[in-house]
Amino acid sequence: MFVVFEGIDGSGKTTISNRVAKALRERGLAVEHLREEGAFASKVTQGIRDFCRDACNMALTPRAELMLYLAREVQLSDEVLRPALARADVVIADRYFYTAAVLAEGRDLPPEETAPLVNAAANGLWPDLGILIDVDPSVARGRRKVAKILCPDRRATSRKGLTGSGLQLRLRAAYRALAERDPDRWIVVDNTDAELGRVVQILIDAVAEARGERAGAMEAARARLAAVASPVRPPPVDDVRSALAAFLSWVDRRAVREPTLAAYVLAGTAGHGIDERRQALATVAPRVVARGLRGLADAVSWQLRRQLLEIAPAEVAAGLSEAAAESNEAWSMRELLADVAPAEVAASLDGLDDETAWALRAELFSRVPEAVLESLALLDVPRAWALRERWVEVRGGLARATATYARARALARSVAGLESPEAWKMRKAARDAAPVSALASLEGMTSEKAWLWRERAVGRAPKAVLGTIAGMDDARAWGLRASTALRCREALSSMIGLDHPTAWAIREDCLEIWPPSVIKSLGVLVSGSRGQALLERALAGFSDQISLLKQAAIIATGANLMRSVMAA
């Protein structure tokens, strides 16, 4: 029997498929998993996957990407899948040719062109059972972020992530449509609020019963899944106070089964009701709670930093930024953490230009030169240029210094926002090995050269491009936002607090697509009558979205106003 698990990144399909495989083996079945613990059984397939993932290959076109995705599955099928089917009772795949078809749809390739290619590549081999692990994209994103906090990934940014959050919405819709078109083959599992153990048990029984050709096995599995995996719907929300209550209720439910995700959702929030939960979760998810303190300067956040100083030193150090960057307590913590988390301490100096910051950079440079280099972003002062030149010299010249991703990224980040000829020289040198970082270094820049880079990259990396125009209020920035907002929510993130006719038009157009981002984009404008009206409409129509409830909770506690004052 051939079983395929599909779903968007962060849906839980890899975890669930591996648990199902293990349990079926315990029942005495011969089971082969083509992607055991996340690694493909074929080195060639894994190599193609890594190539497609690597953002250094940012220029890869959608058609070329489709061909590569098909090639990786053809290799896996010929090398591993077909032989496994001849000897195993059950063969499980974590992704199949469906992924290539769905991604092509998400990239806007015409189905009439892609379907023949996909069918030819599959060569008639399709699964007996498809299991779609469906999930709210915001929950999936939270799970991916938690995984990166607990197991940091030093690789380059994923190519898929360059497109922005909109791609995950399109992929989810395409997967669901796929399952609806072929209901006899597919079981859909809503893994947004499900209890993992019960879901896995139902799927184990479904696979075993389907293999035995038991009549009604699929229908029985769907009924049992509906009973245990239906998302919990919050009560009606009328205003930010009731939204805050619904948000806290969601956190409480999630904390029982998935405390790390509950802690992640609390990141960047503070205030009555929230503080108690942060303190409770700090004992079970200390590193995630510590990472969520980034930029917060309230009394409870400082208390949590002191509490977590020894348990999560790297995360505490990394969070000494923004409003928390220059307090006396921040400097004391940096001194305590410099030996155990030097890179994170150096990163927390980002943009700081006082004597204490320079003294600490000098102390850390020999240990973590790249992290110190990155902290020079936005600094166009003689000492910053002297340190950049020293780093290049230590690394053997500009060409050798930018030969690896990590070093090229550090150099690109160090010249973020800088327009001088020397900055452009360094940016260009870093572009081949770290193209996304080089692009991101255009932060706030308005020159013709900066706009030319943006125009060339926006088709492949709209998320990175939009990140460079945050807060910009000029015609070209508005044109870029207007042309991308319906597909890339980062357009909204780039206009927080901006009161402009185009901004309001974008908010109206995007309310049903990106309600949390629309409300976040209001910033202090949420206090006005127009902002209040938009907030009320969002809550009335989309209060089942945890990201929207979080934005409303931030407004209810006044955290949005506090951050705006500190930023000013």
Side-chain angles (χ1 to χ4, degrees):
M1 182 180 185
F2 179 27
V3 182
V4 166
F5 284 77
E6 289 281 6
I8 64 173
D9 295 339
S11 62
K13 60 183 174 46
T14 301
T15 298
I16 292 173
S17 68
N18 275 280
R19 290 197 183 188
V20 169
K22 180 181 178 182
L24 290 173
R25 288 179 186 129
E26 290 172 352
R27 291 190 179 191
L29 295 175
V31 180
E32 294 199 28
H33 195 308
L34 305 186
R35 199 180 177 192
E36 200 88 40
E37 302 301 331
F40 283 111
S42 163
K43 289 184 178 179
V44 175
T45 293
Q46 186 64 44
I48 298 173
R49 191 258 180 187
D50 292 342
F51 179 88
C52 290
R53 182 197 177 280
D54 192 347
C56 290
N57 303 314
M58 188 171 71
L60 193 65
T61 67
R63 288 185 67 249
E65 179 183 58
L66 170 63
M67 301 299 183
L68 286 168
Y69 266 74
L70 294 177
R72 85 177 195 185
E73 296 300 338
V74 168
Q75 178 68 32
L76 188 65
S77 177
D78 291 349
E79 181 186 348
V80 184
L81 172 57
R82 291 178 187 274
L85 287 171
R87 61 178 179 260
D89 296 317
V90 179
V91 179
I92 293 176
D94 176 356
R95 297 203 183 283
Y96 194 52
F97 288 103
Y98 300 114
T99 293
V102 165
L103 183 57
E105 185 174 340
R107 302 287 199 199
D108 296 325
L109 292 178
E112 60 271 19
E113 292 182 14
T114 62
L117 296 172
V118 173
N119 289 330
N123 196 25
L125 180 55
W126 295 102
D128 301 294
L129 173 62
I131 299 174
L132 172 59
I133 309 300
D134 187 40
V135 70
D136 179 341
S138 65
V139 171
R141 180 175 181 271
R143 287 173 176 156
R144 294 198 307 273
K145 293 289 188 180
V146 166
K148 289 180 179 179
I149 292 170
L150 300 180
C151 298
D153 189 346
R154 305 301 182 188
R155 295 175 298 172
T157 306
S158 166
R159 264 189 64 259
K160 199 184 296 183
L162 300 179
T163 309
S165 305
L167 180 62
Q168 294 301 316
L169 288 183
R170 297 192 293 277
L171 295 183
R172 183 195 191 194
Y175 275 125
R176 294 171 74 162
L178 176 70
E180 288 172 5
R181 289 194 299 268
D182 193 5
D184 292 337
R185 191 188 306 272
W186 288 89
I187 292 175
V188 180
V189 180
D190 191 320
N191 195 32
T192 299
D193 289 305
E195 183 178 335
L196 189 60
R198 297 179 69 182
V199 167
V200 169
Q201 188 57 53
I202 292 170
L203 292 179
I204 293 164
D205 293 339
V207 172
E209 291 170 6
R211 180 177 175 274
E213 299 184 355
R214 177 179 171 182
M218 298 276 279
E219 291 74 12
R222 290 190 185 101
R224 281 179 282 174
L225 286 167
V228 304
S230 297
V232 177
R233 301 296 179 187
V237 171
D238 302 315
D239 53 26
V240 293
R241 289 296 169 187
S242 57
L244 173 60
F247 174 70
L248 296 177
S249 177
W250 187 97
V251 170
D252 289 341
R253 291 196 309 273
R254 188 66 58 168
V256 175
R257 297 195 308 271
E258 210 170 354
T260 54
L261 181 60
Y264 173 79
V265 169
L266 288 173
T269 64
H272 180 66
I274 291 172
D275 291 340
E276 297 90 324
R277 287 160 175 84
R278 291 195 294 165
Q279 290 167 325
L281 286 165
T283 62
V284 291
R287 293 175 62 192
V288 182
V289 170
R291 181 58 63 92
L293 302 175
R294 182 179 178 86
L296 295 175
D298 60 284
V300 174
S301 293
W302 284 113
Q303 177 189 332
L304 284 166
R305 287 188 181 99
R306 290 190 291 272
Q307 176 184 336
L308 299 172
L309 202 63
E310 295 184 3
I311 304 172
E315 289 77 16
V316 170
L320 298 174
S321 61
E322 301 171 26
E326 299 186 72
S327 70
N328 291 333
E329 187 151 18
W331 289 114
S332 297
M333 287 188 176
R334 289 187 181 101
E335 185 176 342
L336 291 171
L337 295 169
D339 287 336
V340 292
E344 290 76 14
V345 169
S348 77
L349 302 176
D350 192 19
L352 298 183
D353 186 26
D354 56 38
E355 292 301 324
T356 309
W358 285 108
L360 190 49
R361 287 188 181 102
E363 177 187 335
L364 295 172
F365 185 80
S366 62
R367 283 182 283 167
V368 285
E370 278 70 48
V372 171
L373 183 70
E374 290 185 24
S375 77
L376 304 180
L378 305 178
L379 293 180
D380 192 9
V381 297
R383 281 199 287 196
W385 284 111
L387 192 52
R388 292 184 186 103
E389 291 165 6
R390 179 186 170 195
W391 179 85
V392 170
E393 181 181 354
V394 167
R395 291 306 183 197
L398 198 56
R400 291 184 62 185
T402 55
T404 66
Y405 166 71
R407 292 177 182 175
R409 178 191 63 188
L411 184 62
R413 290 182 177 179
S414 81
V415 295
L418 305 185
E419 286 272 23
S420 69
E422 187 61 26
W424 275 106
K425 180 181 177 181
M426 292 180 174
R427 186 175 290 119
K428 289 177 180 177
R431 183 167 52 177
D432 283 346
V436 180
S437 299
L439 186 61
S441 75
L442 304 177
E443 177 185 347
M445 292 166 53
T446 58
S447 67
E448 289 298 327
K449 190 181 293 187
W451 277 106
L452 180 60
W453 275 40
R454 291 186 181 107
E455 289 163 6
R456 288 175 175 172
V458 69
R460 297 284 176 269
K463 178 180 177 179
V465 170
L466 288 163
T468 71
I469 64 169
M472 287 175 56
D473 186 6
D474 64 35
R476 283 187 291 194
W478 288 116
L480 181 56
R481 294 181 182 110
S483 66
T484 57
L486 294 177
R487 294 176 63 81
C488 196
R489 71 179 178 88
E490 287 76 12
L492 290 151
S493 301
S494 76
M495 59 182 216
I496 294 175
L498 295 184
D499 187 3
H500 186 281
T502 304
W504 288 106
I506 290 173
R507 290 176 182 123
E508 289 289 344
D509 290 343
C510 294
L511 184 61
E512 295 189 3
I513 306 171
W514 314 111
S517 298
V518 166
I519 299 309
K520 184 177 181 179
S521 79
L522 292 170
V524 295
L525 300 177
V526 75
S527 300
S529 58
R530 198 170 183 179
Q532 281 289 307
L534 203 58
L535 174 60
E536 289 170 7
R537 286 166 54 198
L539 291 175
F542 308 100
S543 61
D544 59 333
Q545 296 189 23
I546 183 57
S547 296
L548 178 61
L549 293 178
K550 177 176 179 176
Q551 291 306 317
I554 289 172
I555 294 167
T557 57
N560 63 319
L561 298 176
M562 186 183 305
R563 286 203 161 190
S564 298
V565 169
M566 289 178 173

